[in-house]
Amino acid sequence: MSLPALMEREQRGSDLRLGGVRVRTDAYTQYAVTYRSNGLKVSGIMNVPRGDGPFPALVLAHGYIDPDIYTTGRGMPREQDVLARNGYVVLHTDYRNHAGSDDDPDNDVNLRLGYTEDVINAVHALRSAARPNVDDGRIGLLGRSMGGGVVYNALVVAPGLVDAAAVYAPVSSRPEENIDRFQRPEGDPLVEEIEAAHGTPQENPEFWRQVSPVTYVDRVTEPLLIHHGTADDTCPLAWTRATVAAFEEAGKDVELRTYRGEGHTFGPRWADSMDVTMSFFDRHLR
């Protein structure tokens, strides 16, 4: 498993099915959904604005939540609501191994690259569903924290898949840095399994290069907006600055917005950041 392997693999996303209504508001209806991602069933939620459409769509990639406690649609409720109220169909994927999704026992040892497939295939499933209220020619990605890393991966694996992408407080674009910060200090036994399967960065630098999206930024074709707080003590701003520098060196369309004093989850400046996000998506998807 590597990013080049995903580039070579035919990604198959299909069979988007709307289930029961979860929420009705004055602006949108939220449905439980499932779709197929390379044969696996993946659950999630979809907010559909009121009206005939067709509406542009956004696929949301949530941050890390322990799959043992995760519930469907959890992770980005503020964004789900605001985006739908502004006229976007919102498909929030749970990923494999979460909520009502099928299990992939190798996913964690393979550095959760299956989540990247699930996001790419959420876009394919939206398109193949040919729903009249979805404009399948105008689709973007939005990720937060770990989901920001998933979006990075999707952009390098499938250039041209979407029209634009935005991320909030993303993890490092080098997986070994994420492991050293989040898993190794906690004594996570998964680290030993990963290194037994793939070697350490010192033992097998080529593998680690091939699972780092920053290695392949030259492939990216979509504009990227990144939000990061200066007081983020979960995902350091330095990680994002390094990623942005790589995008800029490759001549890519990347914009970094920093927010003084904001932490990982965003508080007082969240509404301001969403105004920027809405302007960004309106510019590229409207």
Side-chain angles (χ1 to χ4, degrees):
M1 183 66 76
S2 67
L3 293 174
L6 295 189
M7 295 169 196
E8 293 298 322
R9 183 177 186 180
E10 180 185 0
Q11 298 297 325
R12 301 184 307 277
S14 62
D15 200 23
L16 178 67
R17 298 190 177 192
L18 272 62
V21 172
R22 289 168 49 92
V23 178
R24 289 191 193 275
T25 76
D26 60 328
Y28 62 87
T29 302
Q30 181 181 106
Y31 300 89
V33 299
T34 59
Y35 65 96
R36 308 298 294 188
S37 175
N38 292 339
L40 295 179
K41 182 185 76 174
V42 178
S43 61
I45 62 97
M46 191 160 84
N47 290 352
V48 180
R50 291 187 180 275
D52 295 331
F55 304 103
L58 293 166
V59 172
L60 271 54
H62 65 79
Y64 179 78
I65 301 172
D66 185 341
D68 288 339
I69 64 171
Y70 180 89
T71 53
T72 194
R74 183 174 174 184
M76 302 176 75
R78 297 180 299 181
E79 291 83 354
Q80 294 166 14
D81 179 77
V82 168
L83 294 168
R85 289 183 181 279
N86 279 273
Y88 286 87
V89 170
V90 177
L91 174 55
H92 182 286
T93 176
D94 291 332
Y95 308 133
R96 61 191 64 193
N97 299 348
H98 289 69
S101 300
D102 285 344
D103 187 38
D104 175 2
D106 298 324
N107 185 64
D108 288 349
V109 171
N110 286 329
L111 300 177
R112 302 174 181 147
L113 286 179
Y115 299 165
T116 299
E117 295 185 283
D118 296 340
V119 166
I120 291 171
N121 287 322
V123 176
H124 288 315
L126 267 175
R127 289 204 167 107
S128 65
R131 297 186 59 82
N133 52 4
V134 177
D135 185 340
D136 58 19
R138 297 182 294 164
I139 300 179
L141 301 177
L142 177 65
R144 145 165 281 286
S145 193
M146 180 190 74
V150 174
V151 168
Y152 289 161
N153 287 347
L155 294 177
V156 303
V157 169
L161 176 72
V162 296
D163 298 292
V167 298
Y168 276 77
V171 293
S172 174
S173 53
R174 299 185 184 277
E176 64 269 31
E177 292 185 335
N178 297 317
I179 288 173
D180 287 344
R181 185 170 184 87
F182 300 121
Q183 294 174 273
R184 201 180 301 278
E186 301 298 322
D188 187 343
L190 184 59
V191 176
E192 186 174 342
E193 293 182 51
I194 290 170
E195 293 180 345
H198 306 296
T200 68
Q202 294 73 35
E203 294 166 343
N204 191 0
E206 182 62 12
F207 169 79
W208 292 92
R209 191 185 76 83
Q210 291 187 348
V211 293
S212 300
V214 72
T215 303
Y216 305 102
V217 292
D218 61 302
R219 290 174 52 86
V220 175
T221 57
E222 295 74 34
L224 173 64
L225 171 66
I226 306 177
H227 301 280
H228 214 126
T230 62
D232 190 334
D233 57 6
T234 300
C235 293
L237 176 57
W239 283 352
T240 288
R241 292 198 186 281
T243 299
V244 169
F247 271 80
E248 290 178 337
E249 185 176 352
K252 302 305 176 180
D253 184 354
V254 60
E255 178 183 0
L256 171 61
R257 292 291 186 107
T258 60
Y259 299 83
R260 184 171 299 279
E262 279 290 356
H264 189 60
T265 58
F266 278 64
R269 299 293 305 281
W270 179 78
D272 295 339
S273 75
M274 284 302 295
D275 287 343
V276 174
T277 295
M278 291 308 315
S279 294
F280 172 78
F281 281 130
D282 286 349
R283 192 161 64 250
H284 294 289
L285 273 69
R286 297 287 190 182

